[in-house]
Amino acid sequence: MTEQESSFSRTALLAQPEAPILAAARLTACARSRYAETLLAETGNDQVVVVGAGLDATALRLPTGRHRVWVVDRPGVLQWRARLFAQADLADTATSVAADLADGLRVGDLENAGVDLTRPVTVLWLGVSMYLAPDECRRFFGDVSALADGSALVFDYHLSRELRDDAGRDYACAVAAMAGASGEPWQCAASPDSVARWLTEHGWRVEADIDEADATDDGFFDRQQYLSPMRLVRLVHAVR
Ligand SMILES: C[S@@+](CC[C@H](N)C(=O)[O-])C[C@H]1O[C@@H](n2cnc3c(N)ncnc32)[C@H](O)[C@@H]1O
């Protein structure tokens, strides 16, 4: 999320909290974080690398002292993140690693920042794949395949157009227009079969690939006034 996008979202969310697209955007951000943090608690890996971190605050929510967290993003985004954390008086305990995924992610850069490559890592790659070209997504799976056995990858992706339902198509249409206008167009969408192929060609095994709605508690949507399930976002857990 860019600085401009973030301030737009804040203004829009506060002005119209019940607007369906904005409510769905909040669910998407919360559902992916919760999915990732549930898996983090289950895997037991103490090294966590958040790629395309933006303002991700996982490090602040994890049990104190049990994990070490690295955040990877473009240099300008990392500076913006540092500024906002300082303004909010939050101590950012994560270690920053600057990278542009369009050039690939070098695990050597992670090692230089203190990641122990001989031990498993959990990589969170949330809200990012859609901003990359399909080839860049495939290359990312290859880049992180250099991590130790026992590593885990948690990410989300968008279903290709023909696999979306009406709600997913409407949401994608509205949000993609906003993302494109702010210079960060959505580029990658795929079928579960393609994503499974991209992962397995780099030695990853898919443990789960589910609709975002399936990551919510039973009865969640029955209790919601402004939200309904949509088929667009998939959440994936892969291991090696
Ligand atoms: C929508 S935000 C997601 C932030 C956070 N991971 C979350 O789950 O809310 C997308 C993030 O991906 C980053 N990103 C997009 N393209 C990137 C690239 N080529 N290299 C590095 N980071 C990138 C953006 O800078 C931004 O921080």
Side-chain angles (χ1 to χ4, degrees):
M1 187 181 282
T2 62
E3 194 159 353
Q4 183 193 14
E5 235 184 310
S6 165
S7 107
F8 168 82
S9 309
R10 256 198 322 273
T11 312
L13 285 167
L14 290 173
Q16 285 184 291
E18 75 292 354
I21 299 290
L22 300 177
R26 287 197 298 279
L27 173 63
T28 290
C30 293
R32 66 188 183 224
S33 290
R34 185 181 177 212
Y35 182 72
E37 285 171 33
T38 303
L39 288 171
L40 265 180
E42 285 170 9
T43 65
N45 290 344
D46 60 355
Q47 303 193 99
V48 182
V49 174
V50 186
V51 182
L55 300 178
D56 179 282
T58 301
L60 297 179
R61 291 191 296 273
L62 290 170
T64 320
R66 286 244 310 271
H67 300 82
R68 182 151 178 215
V69 179
W70 290 261
V71 288
V72 180
D73 213 307
R74 295 189 182 106
V77 174
L78 292 174
Q79 284 162 14
W80 171 59
R81 171 191 169 90
R83 212 167 53 241
L84 289 196
F85 270 65
Q87 278 168 15
D89 210 11
L90 289 172
D92 193 358
T93 50
T95 304
S96 296
V97 182
D100 187 338
L101 299 177
D103 303 326
L105 177 68
R106 284 178 292 273
V107 291
D109 289 348
L110 298 179
E111 187 173 30
N112 291 339
V115 176
D116 179 353
L117 296 182
T118 66
R119 294 196 305 111
V121 174
T122 295
V123 176
L124 308 186
W125 191 48
L126 298 166
V128 188
S129 67
M130 53 294 294
Y131 294 100
L132 302 179
D135 281 353
E136 292 167 349
C137 289
R138 286 178 77 169
R139 185 172 62 183
F140 178 76
F141 298 138
D143 292 343
V144 287
S145 69
L147 296 173
D149 286 352
S151 292
L153 180 53
V154 184
F155 68 98
D156 54 352
Y157 70 93
H158 285 170
L159 283 171
S160 20
R161 208 172 299 256
E162 70 280 6
L163 298 175
R164 301 170 189 171
D165 62 6
D166 287 345
R169 271 191 288 274
D170 289 349
Y171 177 85
C173 197
V175 180
M178 194 192 85
S182 67
E184 293 190 307
W186 280 355
Q187 303 188 65
C188 185
S191 68
D193 285 348
S194 302
V195 170
R197 206 170 46 249
W198 297 349
L199 286 162
T200 49
E201 73 191 5
H202 291 296
W204 291 97
R205 191 177 74 248
V206 178
E207 290 281 293
D209 180 343
I210 60 169
D211 274 329
E212 171 189 88
D214 293 332
T216 60
D217 295 335
D218 286 347
F220 171 79
F221 288 101
D222 300 335
R223 300 190 297 274
Q224 300 301 316
Q225 197 176 352
Y226 303 113
L227 283 171
S228 46
M230 64 176 177
R231 284 210 84 213
L232 172 68
V233 182
R234 300 281 291 185
L235 295 166
V236 181
H237 173 209
V239 294
R240 55 176 303 103

